């Protein structure tokens, strides 16, 4: 592997930062001029942190900084493992990580899409002429920066539309912390770094189970607190019957919050008709800065079209976005939730169904948003 200069080295206390001159692990799927691993069988879903080849000794540091940094890294890793053991939460390295598909930044968008479709992935890492990480390209980027702007896939290099210097996360970061970083940044993928090398690409779906587990633990504590408050009410003779009591309000709002608590009234959702073209849907996604569109049939969600659908069902199949109708490539009859659906239940629905977009209906059964 090629190592970064001092500016690219990671300090042991950093959990997530911009990638600058990060090397790619030998375990990654690098594509050279003769072709790469895009067309081969899907890699193992196990963690690939052990896939990196033997490391060369990096440039020596003066004044003992190298030894101090090593000791600090070991201390940080020990603290992280201890915290993980105490809380019962997994670190990113313990998730079933996937090898990152990696291609040079001069590759065309068409070739990138072809390789992404062959590997059934919706994101690819990009490297510069020194084989150092310089960007990331996702299905959303392809939809909103290429298709919606009507650029030619065969003539557009990925460097023109990629996200430069993406944030990354360390392998010993808690999965829920990585999830929080992705939610706050409004993106779904994070390169995973271990020992200064990029070893995998983390998808937000990998963190859903950990988010569910944390919320269930909080709900369990909430039930104990609510039971204690209920006992106090009974002791003082306060009635606890009926749905409008203090205990019920405490239990529902604090420990079993619904989607209405996280969906604002001015939330925007891209809505298209089955007869609209994929190009029209892409332009609406670009306008609202979203990665999916609800297909409305008689004012109800009859289907959903995501940026992944556009990648896999349109581009990979060589269908023209300007003439392909949404109804031909959408996912029909998607699962839905309502604004009164508990957040935990919505997370379970997405985790069990293995999808990341869930239409949310208001009480009048009109689509108001998506998770």
């Amino acid at each position: 592997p090629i190592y970064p200069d001092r500016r690219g080295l990671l300090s042991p206390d950093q959990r997530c930062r911009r990638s600058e001159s990060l090397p790619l692990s030998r375990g990654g799927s690098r594509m050279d001029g003769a072709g790469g691993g895009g067309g081969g069988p899907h890699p193992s879903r196990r963690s690939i942190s052990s896939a990196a080849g033997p490391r060369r000794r990096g440039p020596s540091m003066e004044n003992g900084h190298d030894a101090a940094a090593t000791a600090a890294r070991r201390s940080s890793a020990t603290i992280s493992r201890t915290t993980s053991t105490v809380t019962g939460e997994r670190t990113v390295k313990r998730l079933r990580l996937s090898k990152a598909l990696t291609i040079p930044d001069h590759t065309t968008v068409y070739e990138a899409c072809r390789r992404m479709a062959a590997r059934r992935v919706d994101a690819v890492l990009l490297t510069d002429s020194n084989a150092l990480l310089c960007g990331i390209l996702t299905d959303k980027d392809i939809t909103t920066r290429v298709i919606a702007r009507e650029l030619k896939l065969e003539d557009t290099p990925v460097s023109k539309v990629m996200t430069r210097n993406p944030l990354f996360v360390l392998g010993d970061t808690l999965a829920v912390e990585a999830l929080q970083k992705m939610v706050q940044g409004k993106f779904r993928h994070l390169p995973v770094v271990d020992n200064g090398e990029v070893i995998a690409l983390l998808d937000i779906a990998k963190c859903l189970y950990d988010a569910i587990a944390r919320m269930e633990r909080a709900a369990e504590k909430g039930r104990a607190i609510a039971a204690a408050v209920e006992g106090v009410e009974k002791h003082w003779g306060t009635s606890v019957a009926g749905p409008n009591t203090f205990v019920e309000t405490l239990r529902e709002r604090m420990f079993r919050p619904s989607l209405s608590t996280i969906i604002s009234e001015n939330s925007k959702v891209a809505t298209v008709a089955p007869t609209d073209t994929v190009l029209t849907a892409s332009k609406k996604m670009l306008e609202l800065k979203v990665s999916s569109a609800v297909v409305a049939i008689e004012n109800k969600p009859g289907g959903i079209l995501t940026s992944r659908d556009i990648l896999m069902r349109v581009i990979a199949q060589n269908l023209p976005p300007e003439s392909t109708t949404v109804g031909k490539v959408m996912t029909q009859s998607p699962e839905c939730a309502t604004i009164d659906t508990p957040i935990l239940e919505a997370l379970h629905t997405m985790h069990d169904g293995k999808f990341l977009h869930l239409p949310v209906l208001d009480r009048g059964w009109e689509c108001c948003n998506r998770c």
Side-chain angles (χ1 to χ4, degrees), residues 49 58 73 86-87 120 146 228 255 321 352 370:
S49 57
R73 280 195 299 271
V86 171
T87 62
R120 304 296 299 176
V146 182
F255 308 119
D352 296 342
R370 313 168 308 289

Side-chain angles (χ1 to χ4, degrees), residues 39 54 79 164 222 231 296 338:
I79 293 173
R164 297 183 179 277
T338 71

Side-chain angles (χ1 to χ4, degrees), residues 83-137:
T83 302
S84 176
T85 301
V86 171
T87 62
E89 294 180 344
R90 298 185 297 176
T91 61
V92 168
K93 262 195 303 192
R94 294 183 60 192
L95 301 177
R96 295 171 66 85
L97 297 177
S98 301
K99 290 182 180 180
L101 174 61
T102 309
I103 62 176
D105 61 0
H106 58 74
T107 307
T108 65
V109 172
Y110 176 80
E111 179 63 15
C113 291
R114 190 185 70 80
R115 292 183 174 274
M116 292 167 70
R119 281 276 301 273
R120 304 296 299 176
V121 297
D122 50 18
V124 58
L125 297 181
L126 309 169
T127 58
D128 59 19
S129 57
N130 295 316
L132 300 177
L133 178 64
C134 64
I136 185 172
L137 182 73

Side-chain angles (χ1 to χ4, degrees), residues 1 3 26 50-57 197:
Y3 294 89
R26 284 185 181 177
S50 61
R55 292 170 56 94
R56 295 180 300 179
R57 182 180 300 275
E197 296 175 15

Side-chain angles (χ1 to χ4, degrees), residues 183-310:
V183 171
Q184 290 176 341
K186 297 182 179 180
F187 50 81
R188 302 198 330 254
H189 304 88
L190 273 175
V192 180
V193 174
D194 194 31
N195 293 325
E197 296 175 15
V198 179
I199 59 169
L201 186 61
L202 176 66
D203 188 286
I204 195 170
K206 298 285 187 182
C207 303
L208 282 183
Y209 175 84
D210 295 84
I212 291 171
R214 174 175 279 197
M215 288 194 69
E216 287 180 337
R217 284 193 296 270
E220 187 64 32
K221 293 179 181 178
R223 282 191 286 270
I225 295 173
V229 175
E230 185 174 353
V232 172
E233 283 196 336
K234 287 182 177 180
H235 176 76
W236 289 101
T238 306
S239 173
V240 295
N244 296 320
T245 64
F246 171 73
V247 173
E248 288 297 327
T249 302
L250 180 71
R251 182 182 290 115
E252 292 300 319
R253 293 189 180 180
M254 293 189 63
F255 308 119
R256 203 165 181 265
S258 66
L259 294 174
S260 62
T261 62
I262 59 174
I263 296 179
S264 60
E265 293 183 359
N266 59 349
S267 296
K268 298 177 181 179
V269 56
T271 305
V272 296
T275 54
D276 287 336
T277 66
V278 172
L279 177 59
T280 298
S282 300
K283 289 181 179 293
K284 288 192 175 183
M285 292 183 201
L286 171 61
E287 178 185 356
L288 297 180
K289 298 179 179 179
V290 295
S291 58
S292 65
V294 172
V295 185
I297 302 176
E298 296 181 355
N299 209 30
K300 294 182 180 180
I304 188 170
L305 181 72
T306 70
S307 53
R308 181 181 175 89
D309 295 332
I310 294 176

Side-chain angles (χ1 to χ4, degrees), residues 154-202:
E154 298 84 355
D155 300 332
T156 305
V158 292
S159 58
K160 185 176 180 179
V161 294
M162 70 182 183
T163 298
R164 297 183 179 277
N165 300 323
L167 287 172
F168 62 85
V169 66
L170 298 183
D172 60 1
T173 302
L174 291 179
V176 288
E177 293 179 4
L179 174 63
Q180 183 180 26
K181 181 64 63 175
M182 287 187 276
V183 171
Q184 290 176 341
K186 297 182 179 180
F187 50 81
R188 302 198 330 254
H189 304 88
L190 273 175
V192 180
V193 174
D194 194 31
N195 293 325
E197 296 175 15
V198 179
I199 59 169
L201 186 61
L202 176 66

